[in-house]
Every structure is written in C-alpha cells, then in structure tokens.
C-alpha cells in the first residue's frame, strides 16, 4: 500500500497565512521592545496597580454595557433571517460567541461554530447561521467605519494621533462615512438584491439598517470607552480621535490573525499615542484586556460549570428552573470547544507566570516551609505543564479521551506547581475551575484516537509558537536588568528569577520543538484505495451496522475507501480535479464518524485539495461545520415511514388504481435473493441496454451504481414480470439493521406495461413493510426546498430559479410531485464544501465525477 507524500508546493501554500501571522507578531514584538527600551516590567506592573478602583469599576460597568449591546447584534440578525428565537437564547449565544471570537482567532473556535450548534436546535439552517454571522460582522464593520470616519474628519492638523496628513485624513474619513451612507441608502431604498460574487444580499430595510448603525457605533464607542477610562489622556487628545485609534487597532488585530490580536492591538495603540508614557499606557492596556477579554471568557467558563452542575443534579426541579432553561440547551453542544479555549488560556497563563518574577512577599513566606530544590522543580514543572496544555487544547476540541485524561492530570500538576513556586493563588484558582469543569464534562470526550495521530495544522502550530515566543520575550523583558553570564544557568537561589526563567524557557522550547518534529515527521498514513477482495469482510462488517442505505454504494467499486484504523467503519470518496468528494456520511458509530471526518480532512489538506462531503445531513452536520466547511442545500430527500404506509383510504386511491391496472395487464412482482440473481443477469442486461438507449443517456457513477454484473450479484433484485417474462427490475439497497430500504438501478424494457414504475414501487413498499423495515428512501428531489433569503448564496438563487422555471431542462417540480403521492417525510440534504468562490468549482467537479454535467448533479 503506497504512502501519501506531501507536495512541497502544497505544504508551503498551507504555511503561508500562518507564517504571515507569525511575521506580523514578530514585527509587533520588535516595535513594543523598542518602545519599552527605557523601562522595566516592574514599571508596567506598578502602573497597572496604580489604576484607581473607581476607574476599574467604571470600565467594568462599560464592559457589561458593551456585551449587552453585543447581544443585540444577534437579535437583529435573527430578525433579518426571519426565524423567531427567544431573546434569552440569542443573548447567551451572542455572549459566548463573542467571548470566543475576542480571545481566539483560529477557525476551531470561531463564533460561527458556536452559533450553528445552538441555533440549529432552534430551526435555523446552515444558511441562516451563515447569514447571522455575516450580519453581525457587517454591523461591526459599520461601527468601525463610523468611528474611524468621524475621527479622521475631526482631526486637527498636526495634532492627530492617526498620523495622517490633513488632506488624506479628510479623504479617508469622508470615504468611510460615504460607504456607510451608501449602505444605508441601499438598505432603505433598494427593491432588488445585491449580488457580490457568489452571495446575494437582500436589503434589510431602513429600520434594521439604522439599528445596525446605532448599535454598532454605540457598542464600539462603549468598548473604546473602556480603554479610555483605564489609560491616561495626553493633552489635545479628544475621545473622538481616541475612538478612531481604537477602531484601527481592532481592525489590525483582526487582520493579523494572531490569537485575540494579542500584541498587535497594543502595538498600534502605543504607536498612535506616543505622548503617553509607555508604562502607563501598557498598564491600562493590560487592565483592558483583563476586563474586556478574559473576564467574559471566565464568565463563559462559569456558565459551563453551572451547566455541568445542572446536569449532575437534573432531578432537582429548582435547579432545572434556575439553570436549565438558559444554560443546558446552549452549552451542551459546545462544551469541548469552550473547554479547549479554557485549557489553551490556562497553558498561556502558566507560561507567562513562569516567565515573570514571583511576588517577593510570598517567596519570603515560602522559604520557611519549603526547600529551595522543590521550589525550583515546581517552577520548571509549571512551564512544562503550560506547553502541554497548549498542545492538548486541540485534542480536547476534537473530543479525544486521551487528551481529557492527560489534561486532568496536568491541571492537577499545574495547581500544585502554582502554589509551590510562589503561592500563586489566583493562578491556582483559575486552574482549579478549569479542572472542575473538565471533571464534570468527561462524557463529552469519547473519541479513542491517539493524540499523536492527529496532525497539527500550520495555524495551530503557529498559534502555540506565538504564545511560547511571547512568554520568552516577557521573561527577557522582566529580567533585562540582569547581565547574562553562563553561570546563570547553574544559579539556584530564592530570588533567582532570571535563572529560573532561562531554564524554563529552554525546557519549553526543547519540548515544543520535539513535539513539532514528532508530529510533522511521523510516517504518512496509508493512501486510501478502491476496496480489495481481501477487505470485503471489513466492508460487510461495517454495512451490518449501517442505518443508511446509501452505504451500499461502496460496493459499486468506483470509489476509494478510507478505513477507521482496525475498526469496521469507513468513508467512501473519489477525486475530481482538486476536489476530494466523500459520498454521504461516514459509516460507523458516532465516534468513528467523527474520527473519519477529521482523518479525511487531514488527508485532503496534505494533498492540497478541497474537502467536500456530498449528500449529507441529519445530526452529522455539526461535524462538517467544525471542519470550517460551508453547507449548501442540494435538495430534499423523500423517506416513507413504512409502518404507516398502506393502500387504504381515499388518499391512496391513485396508488390502488395503479396497482390494479398493472395486475389486470398480467403484471406480477417478486423479489429474488442475491444468490439467485446470476441466471437472470443476461435478461437484466438486455433491459438495461434498451432503457439506456431509449433515455439517450449513459451510465452514471459515484452517487449511483452502474449496471455491472459483479455489482448486481451483491443485492437482491425486485422484478416485474409480464406473462412470466421479466420486463422491469430494480436492485435493492437494504440495511442489515432494517432501518432503511432503498433502490439503486430501476429500469424497464419497452414491453413493460404502462405504470410499471408505480407498480414496482408500490409492491416494494408493501414488501419492505412486511420485512420489518422502518423507512423506504425514495431519493432526493433536487433543488427542492431552496429559498431566496438574506445573504443567499448564488447556488440557492440559481437553484431556486431552475426549480421554478427549468421544466425544459429537468422536471424538478414534477419529480417532487410524483414522490409526494407516497406521502413521504422530506429531509434536507447538503453539500459541505469550502464556500465563497470555490463553490462553483466544487459543483463542476462533482458534476464531472458523476459524468453527466449539472443536470445529473442534482439527480440521483
């Protein structure tokens, strides 16, 4: 079995964006280091402690007000979508989503994933959630534009902190405000939608647009007020100009993709407000980050803790009333993501604590009760635990059981190290809260996969590297007054902060470098391939537990198979162009499906392709959102509940008549077991060839089978006979669990009686009910259920038009009407793929793979 080798060009492409973020962070560190050349870390700490309690309280109040305003972002967005969601749900969702978004930047922890997991339980589709997220981003952009525009226009020549020439400042401000005014005019007056690339934007109307303007501007002005309250103000600096600086710093932090904009935001403010002494400004910035970033994240952790306490005591009615309505529905789906953030922050806290001097008074208290060697070991252990938590945060996000076990023990070790190395009660308390949340959420981490089997993406590695680099820089900044000598490495003393920092930094760097090398240099997994005869037993074992009839498509032999380790689970896919297209959801248990989805994503990333999942749905959609994929609705699948199906009653009169007509013409029905299909193959071949000729079409692939004798030998076949001669057939796609029954090829000859297809389906439904199957899958009604709504992708706009007006192209509405007479349950089916401009290419690749163009893309 061949090995997958990474293409160097592909590897560099994957590293490009993270390396840009790393370079931006390095530039920021250089700037801040230059600004602080004349100062010591104790000066910054002194200024931080010197902030008056009244100012801290005022800033905290403004922070609360800002986050209350942020809840209105989601409230307006949900109203724009047109789906009713209670305010208490949107408020808590917005709070958690923004707490995530403010502190982290990588895709695993974006607000989009949080919103999808919560709002999907309220009836919002993937498109609705994308609309909500985009609406919130647009509201933020409007607020930033207004603040920046007014600041640029109000700037006094020669005194502005924006460092723009007078004319350029005016032009810049006028341009920003003109763009906002143009949006408001379009939103209020436009009658049609605006098409931008692959997106169609419906005007929100004057009321919502004005709401966006007011909420966005007031919220960001309040957020700027938090920082304004905490930092000193140089002469001549007004709040409007300061708000403009704040807006630019926010944009710079977001654009850098550094986690939380850490360092980038601070560097921009330092460069803009040069008249303020750097220690005073940095003290205020540290207080701002603690109040506006870390405090909301801690509240989110508290919410998760309350949620877990509620789950442990669900039998108590008063706990259900107090916590269940708000907490449980929201946090259950996102516990691993939130815990991953908390653990990542815990690792950063331990690293920064290990790089900074301990509090002298606490060290003096320790020296009477603890020997120096134990203090030294504890300090080193704290930093090692910190880097371990950074690494394990990704495993927690992926619900790895091994990551949960290791994290629990590392948190215990971190708490002990925090207390023994300097009585860091605050640090130990935070770690203790995270540990408690971990212990109460253990059931959420069920995947047995190995930690080292999970390839770390460039974005994750660079994010971890940035935190480690920051801790090392802070350590050298805090000890810059200590002259470097080789003896420092071997100096052990109670107040030997610099030697301890050096040893801890070296240990962290060596451990991280070893982990990165082990992760990047591990052997590539075996390349998936079309199933071999020796692997048929594994496929059969997996199919024995499959509930979806589509899993039988693996036996067509035209798809590659990715197996789940040694387990009986698999994912089937094929490659077209740069698109790696998986058919349906993976086959296996819930944890195996999750493992296979991530393994497939890693495989595709190594090969520089596009990850695509075709014809997926149900409870697995959150897996694809976690991968960062967009969900595009393909249509709706018709499923018939066989226990309720019958020919009795007036509603079934048409079906009864069709059955009687066929029987009067001499038609009969039977199901032939797979073992007895062999002698029938020549006749079935003749019928198939005639059917293809009459339909002027060729065999399709991938999502359907093609007529091949080796393929048909795997299945029972339903036959329609006319006076003993076979005139129509369909091969069955059963499930061993009797959850679902479907058909693949359904073909009839020229001598088949009128209504042969109706007769065959009716008899199959009755036969399936008699055999104990729960559902019969009639397949997808393509483009059915696509709606033109806010921020609708171009695919939906095209699909809706084709569905309504494409009768000459394909009878879309007729197909749905035909299936409607069986009274099915309609379930949406999606394409999960990279969004934006790549969607058109993905659709073309899928169409090419099926070998029939766009018309065949939307047919089964």
């Amino acid at each position: 079995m061949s090995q997958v080798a990474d293409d160097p060009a592909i590897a560099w492409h994957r590293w490009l964006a993270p390396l840009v973020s790393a370079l931006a962070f390095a530039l920021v560190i250089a700037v801040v280091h230059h600004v602080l050349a004349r100062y010591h870390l104790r000066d910054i700490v002194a200024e931080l402690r010197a902030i008056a309690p009244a100012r801290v309280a005022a800033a905290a109040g403004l922070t609360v007000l800002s986050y209350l305003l942020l809840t209105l972002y989601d409230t307006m967005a949900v109203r724009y979508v047109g789906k009713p969601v209670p305010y208490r749900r949107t408020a808590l969702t917005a709070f958690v989503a923004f707490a995530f978004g403010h502190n982290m930047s990588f895709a695993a922890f974006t607000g989009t994933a949080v919103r999808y997991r919560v709002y999907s339980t309220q009836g919002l589709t993937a498109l609705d959630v994308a609309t909500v997220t985009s609406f919130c981003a647009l509201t933020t952009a409007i607020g930033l534009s207004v603040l920046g525009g007014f600041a640029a226009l109000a700037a006094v020549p020669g005194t502005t902190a924006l460092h723009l020439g007078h004319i350029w400042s005016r032009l810049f401000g006028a341009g920003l405000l003109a763009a906002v005014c143009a949006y408001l005019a379009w939103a209020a007056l436009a009658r049609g939608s605006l098409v931008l690339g692959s997106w169609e934007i419906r005007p929100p109307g004057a009321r919502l647009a004005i709401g966006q303007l007011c909420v966005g501007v007031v919220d960001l002005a309040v957020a700027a007020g938090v920082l304004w309250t905490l930092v000193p103000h140089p002469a001549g600096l007004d709040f409007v100009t300061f708000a403009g600086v704040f807006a630019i710093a926010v944009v710079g932090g977001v654009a850098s993709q550094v986690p939380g904009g850490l360092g980038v935001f601070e560097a921009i403010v330092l460069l803009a407000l040069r008249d303020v002494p750097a220690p005073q400004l940095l003290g205020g910035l540290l207080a701002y980050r603690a109040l506006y970033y870390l405090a909301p994240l801690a509240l989110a952790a508290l919410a998760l803790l309350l949620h877990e306490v509620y789950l442990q005591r669900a039998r108590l009615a008063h706990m259900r009333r107090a916590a269940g309505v708000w907490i449980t529905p929201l946090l259950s789906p996102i516990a691993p993501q939130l815990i991953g953030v908390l653990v990542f922050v815990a690792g950063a806290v331990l690293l920064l604590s290990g790089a900074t001097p301990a509090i002298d008074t606490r060290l003096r208290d320790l020296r009477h009760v603890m020997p120096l060697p134990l203090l030294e070991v504890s300090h080193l252990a704290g930093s090692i635990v910190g880097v371990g938590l950074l690494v394990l945060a990704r495993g927690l996000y992926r619900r790895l059981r091994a990551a949960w076990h290791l994290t629990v023990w590392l948190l215990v070790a971190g708490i002990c190290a925090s207390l023994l190395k300097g009585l860091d009660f605050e640090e130990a308390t935070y770690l203790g809260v995270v540990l408690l949340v971990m212990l109460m959420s253990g059931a959420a981490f069920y995947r047995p996969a190995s930690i080292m089997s999970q390839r770390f993406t460039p974005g994750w590695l660079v994010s971890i590297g940035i935190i480690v680099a920051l801790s090392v820089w802070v350590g050298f900044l805090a000890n810059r007054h200590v002259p470097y000598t080789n003896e420092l490495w071997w100096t052990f003393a109670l107040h030997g902060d610099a030697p301890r920092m050096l040893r801890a930094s070296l240990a962290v760097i060596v451990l991280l470098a070893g982990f990165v090398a082990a992760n990047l240099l591990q052997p590539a997994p075996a390349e998936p391939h079309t199933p071999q005869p020796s692997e048929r037993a594994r496929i059969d074992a997996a199919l024995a537990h499959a509930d979806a009839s589509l899993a039988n498509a693996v036996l067509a032999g035209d798809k590659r198979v990715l197996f789940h380790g040694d387990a009986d689970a698999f994912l089937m896919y094929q490659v077209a162009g740069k698109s790696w297209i998986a058919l349906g959801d993976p086959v296996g248990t819930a944890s195996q499906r999750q493992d296979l989805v991530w393994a497939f994503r890693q495989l595709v990333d190594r090969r520089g392709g596009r990850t695509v999942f075709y014809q997926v749905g149900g409870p697995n959609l959150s897996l694809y959102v976690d991968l960062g994929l967009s969900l595009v609705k393909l249509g709706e699948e018709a499923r018939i509940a066989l226990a309720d199906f019958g020919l009795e009653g007036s509603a079934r009169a048409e079906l009864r008549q069709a059955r009687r007509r066929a029987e009067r013409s001499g038609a009969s029905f039977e199901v032939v077991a797979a073992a007895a299909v062999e002698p029938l193959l020549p006749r079935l071949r003749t019928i198939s060839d005639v059917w293809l000729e009459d339909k002027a079409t060729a065999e399709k692939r991938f999502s359907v089978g093609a007529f091949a004798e080796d393929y048909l030998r795997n299945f029972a076949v339903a036959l329609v006979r006319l006076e003993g001669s076979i005139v129509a057939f369909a091969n069955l796609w059963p499930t061993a669990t009797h959850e679902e029954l479907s058909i693949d090829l359904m073909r009839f000859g020229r001598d088949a009686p009128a209504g042969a297809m109706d007769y065959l389906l009716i008899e199959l439904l009755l036969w399936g009910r008699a055999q104990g199957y729960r559902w019969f899958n009639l397949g997808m009604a393509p483009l059915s259920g696509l709606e033109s709504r806010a921020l609708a992708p171009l695919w939906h706009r095209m699909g809706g038009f084709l569905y309504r007006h494409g009768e000459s192209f394909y009878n879309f509405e007729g197909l749905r009407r035909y299936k409607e007479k069986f009274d099915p349950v309609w379930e949406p089916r999606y394409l999960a793929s990279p969004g934006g401009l790549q969607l058109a290419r993905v659709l073309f690749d899928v169409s090419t793979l099926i070998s029939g163009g766009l018309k065949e893309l939307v047919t089964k």
Side-chain angles (χ1 to χ4, degrees):
M1 205 176 290
S2 60
Q3 299 290 315
V4 178
D6 288 348
D7 187 329
I10 293 173
W12 277 111
H13 176 75
R14 293 166 51 215
W15 279 91
L16 182 60
L19 286 177
V20 169
S21 296
L23 290 175
F25 181 77
L27 179 62
V28 164
I29 289 297
V31 169
V32 175
H33 192 80
H34 174 74
V35 171
L36 297 177
R38 296 181 292 109
Y39 302 103
H40 189 275
L41 183 62
R42 69 168 67 95
D43 301 325
I44 301 173
V45 175
E47 294 295 340
L48 174 62
R49 293 175 175 172
I51 299 175
R55 290 166 57 194
V56 174
L62 290 174
T63 298
V64 173
L65 177 59
S66 177
Y67 274 85
L68 285 174
L69 290 168
L70 286 173
T71 66
L72 298 181
Y73 283 46
D74 278 57
T75 301
M76 292 188 297
V78 170
R79 183 175 300 175
Y80 178 51
V81 168
K83 298 288 182 69
V85 178
Y87 172 73
R88 64 174 181 266
R89 185 63 56 85
T90 59
L92 199 52
T93 302
F95 171 72
V96 176
F98 281 110
F100 274 42
H102 287 162
N103 284 279
M104 313 300 287
S105 66
F106 29 86
F109 299 128
T110 59
T112 303
V114 174
R115 288 186 172 98
Y116 176 77
R117 288 179 173 273
V118 176
Y119 287 141
S120 61
T121 65
Q122 298 297 301
L124 273 69
T125 66
L127 176 60
D128 294 330
V129 176
T131 300
V132 169
T133 303
S134 300
F135 189 94
C136 294
L138 181 59
T139 304
T140 301
I142 291 172
L144 291 172
S145 298
V146 171
L147 289 184
F150 274 111
L153 287 178
V156 178
T159 62
T160 175
L162 300 177
H163 301 294
L164 293 173
H166 182 58
I167 296 178
W168 288 110
S169 177
R170 301 285 193 200
L171 290 175
F172 177 68
L176 289 177
L177 294 178
V180 174
C181 291
Y183 171 74
L184 294 176
W186 170 79
L189 304 175
R191 297 182 178 178
S193 300
L194 176 65
V195 178
L196 296 175
S198 63
W199 291 94
E200 179 188 7
I201 308 176
R202 175 176 59 83
R207 180 176 297 182
L208 272 181
I210 293 174
Q212 284 183 281
L213 174 66
C214 295
V215 173
V217 172
V218 174
D219 165 57
L220 288 162
V222 170
V226 176
L227 184 59
W228 173 265
T229 304
L230 295 170
V231 299
H233 315 138
L237 179 66
D238 58 90
F239 179 75
V240 173
T241 304
F242 181 85
V245 172
F246 176 85
I248 294 174
V250 169
V251 173
V254 173
S256 70
Q257 288 299 297
V258 174
L262 186 62
V264 179
F265 178 88
E266 288 79 1
I268 293 175
V269 174
L270 281 171
L271 291 175
L273 305 181
R274 296 175 182 173
D275 295 335
V276 180
Q280 296 181 20
L281 194 52
L282 275 176
L285 285 167
L286 289 175
Y288 169 76
R289 191 164 283 278
L291 284 173
Y292 199 81
Y293 285 74
L294 297 181
L297 186 62
L299 287 177
L302 179 61
L304 180 61
L305 181 59
L306 291 177
H307 156 250
E308 296 300 337
V309 170
Y310 163 75
L311 290 183
Q312 298 294 332
R313 303 187 179 183
R315 291 173 294 180
L316 299 179
H318 72 278
M319 289 293 290
R320 181 181 297 276
R321 290 193 298 269
V325 173
W326 280 68
I327 305 300
T328 299
L330 171 65
L331 294 178
S332 291
I334 60 172
Q337 289 89 335
L338 183 52
I339 289 174
V341 174
L342 297 176
V343 170
F344 191 90
V345 172
V349 168
L350 282 172
L351 286 177
L352 290 173
S353 173
T356 52
I359 300 176
D360 290 342
T361 55
R362 295 181 182 180
L363 277 180
R364 286 194 295 269
D365 294 337
L366 272 177
R367 68 179 179 180
H368 301 295
V369 296
M370 189 176 67
L372 179 62
L374 183 57
L375 185 147
E376 297 284 357
V377 171
S378 300
H379 187 278
L380 183 63
S383 297
I384 293 174
V385 168
V387 74
L389 293 178
L390 293 181
V391 170
L392 289 173
R394 185 169 184 266
L396 294 173
Y397 170 74
R398 293 191 169 189
R399 302 173 183 261
L400 300 185
R401 189 67 180 172
W404 181 85
H405 282 292
L406 284 175
T407 302
V408 166
W409 287 111
L410 285 183
L411 286 171
V412 172
I415 293 172
C416 296
S418 298
L419 296 174
L420 294 176
K421 70 186 177 68
L423 296 178
D424 288 331
F425 299 111
E426 303 84 356
E427 183 179 302
T429 300
Y430 175 74
L431 296 178
V433 171
V434 177
L435 175 61
L436 186 58
V437 173
M438 287 283 299
L439 291 174
M440 302 184 71
S441 304
F445 304 92
Y446 52 81
R447 292 181 57 201
S450 167
I451 296 173
M452 290 303 297
S453 67
Q454 310 296 309
R455 285 287 186 103
F456 274 64
T457 63
W460 267 95
L461 291 175
V462 169
S463 296
I464 294 173
I466 284 175
I467 298 300
V468 171
L470 176 65
S471 69
V472 173
W473 173 74
V474 168
F476 278 100
L477 179 67
N479 296 280
R480 67 195 311 171
H481 63 289
V482 179
Y484 175 80
T485 62
N486 291 331
E487 287 74 20
L488 282 177
W489 294 96
W490 311 105
T491 299
F492 300 92
L494 181 65
H495 296 284
D497 295 313
R500 281 195 287 270
M501 181 276 299
L502 286 175
R503 290 190 291 269
S505 298
L506 178 62
V508 166
I509 292 173
V510 170
L511 285 175
L512 184 61
F515 171 79
V516 171
N519 191 262
L520 295 180
L521 299 179
Q522 62 179 310
E527 183 176 9
H529 52 280
T530 55
Q532 302 299 312
S534 60
E535 295 168 325
R536 176 59 189 269
R538 295 187 67 184
I539 292 176
D540 289 341
L543 292 177
H545 303 286
D547 289 331
S549 58
L550 184 60
N552 289 285
V554 71
L555 300 177
D558 61 345
K559 288 169 280 292
R560 306 182 191 186
V561 175
L562 175 64
F563 286 104
H564 181 283
D566 297 327
D568 297 324
F570 66 85
L571 176 150
M572 50 184 163
Y573 77 98
Q574 194 48 275
V575 181
K578 293 187 66 177
S579 299
W580 292 53
I581 306 162
L583 177 61
D585 298 305
V587 179
T589 65
S591 62
Q592 290 169 343
R593 288 196 298 270
Q594 191 168 43
D595 290 341
L596 284 166
V597 163
W598 283 104
F600 184 62
R601 176 58 184 266
Q602 292 173 344
L603 170 67
V604 177
D605 287 346
R606 288 197 303 272
R607 302 303 293 269
R610 290 183 288 262
T611 304
V612 181
F613 290 85
Y614 176 71
Q615 206 168 317
V616 296
N620 298 304
L621 293 180
S622 60
L623 298 180
Y624 311 121
V625 174
D626 288 344
L627 295 184
L629 302 179
S630 300
L631 299 177
V632 175
K633 190 174 182 179
L634 294 172
E636 293 178 318
E637 193 171 73
R639 300 179 76 216
I640 302 168
L642 293 179
D644 301 328
F645 179 79
L647 299 181
E648 301 78 17
S650 58
R652 304 295 191 188
E654 182 181 353
L655 299 182
R656 288 197 304 272
Q657 293 169 7
R659 187 189 191 198
R660 289 169 183 168
R661 281 195 301 268
E663 290 176 341
R664 284 197 300 266
S665 66
S668 63
F669 169 85
E670 68 174 306
V671 174
V672 178
V677 168
E678 181 69 34
L680 305 178
L681 290 176
R683 175 58 181 166
L684 300 185
R685 165 69 74 180
T686 301
I687 294 174
S688 177
D689 291 343
V690 169
W691 186 85
L692 291 172
E693 181 181 347
D694 290 346
K695 298 296 182 182
T697 187
E699 295 282 11
K700 303 305 179 289
R701 302 285 178 180
F702 189 61
S703 61
V704 294
F707 190 96
E709 294 184 357
D710 288 341
Y711 170 64
L712 289 179
R713 290 188 182 100
N714 295 298
F715 306 106
V717 175
L719 304 177
V720 175
R721 293 182 184 269
L722 190 62
E723 297 179 355
S725 176
I726 300 175
V727 294
F729 75 91
N731 69 295
L732 305 188
W733 273 0
T735 55
T737 62
H738 281 66
E739 177 68 18
E740 185 177 80
L741 175 68
S742 184
I743 58 174
D744 182 25
L745 305 179
M746 184 168 69
R747 297 176 180 180
F748 46 89
R750 294 174 184 143
D751 51 351
M757 184 168 68
D758 286 355
Y759 176 66
L760 181 57
L761 284 175
I762 293 169
E763 293 293 344
L764 265 176
L765 291 170
L766 295 173
W767 180 86
R769 184 184 66 178
Q771 297 297 315
Y773 288 95
R774 290 189 60 206
W775 296 92
F776 189 92
N777 192 326
L778 277 176
M780 204 165 48
L783 305 182
S784 173
L786 302 189
E787 302 178 30
S788 299
R789 57 171 63 231
L791 295 176
L794 184 59
W795 167 250
H796 278 246
R797 189 165 60 90
M798 291 173 54
F801 179 83
L802 285 174
Y803 183 79
R804 294 187 299 270
H805 307 291
E807 287 83 359
S808 60
F809 178 71
Y810 186 80
N811 190 15
F812 298 103
E813 288 190 290
L815 178 60
R816 182 181 175 106
R817 284 196 303 269
Y818 176 81
K819 296 181 179 184
E820 283 281 10
K821 65 186 179 182
F822 295 97
D823 193 23
V825 175
W826 293 98
E827 298 180 357
R829 288 295 176 263
Y830 294 91
L831 175 80
S833 72
L837 298 178
Q838 296 189 70
L839 177 59
R841 184 67 213 187
V842 168
L843 291 172
F844 177 80
D845 289 340
V846 174
S847 174
T848 301
L849 188 59
I850 298 175
S851 303
L854 182 59
K855 174 180 177 181
E856 302 302 336
L857 165 65
V858 295
T859 63
K860 184 172 179 182

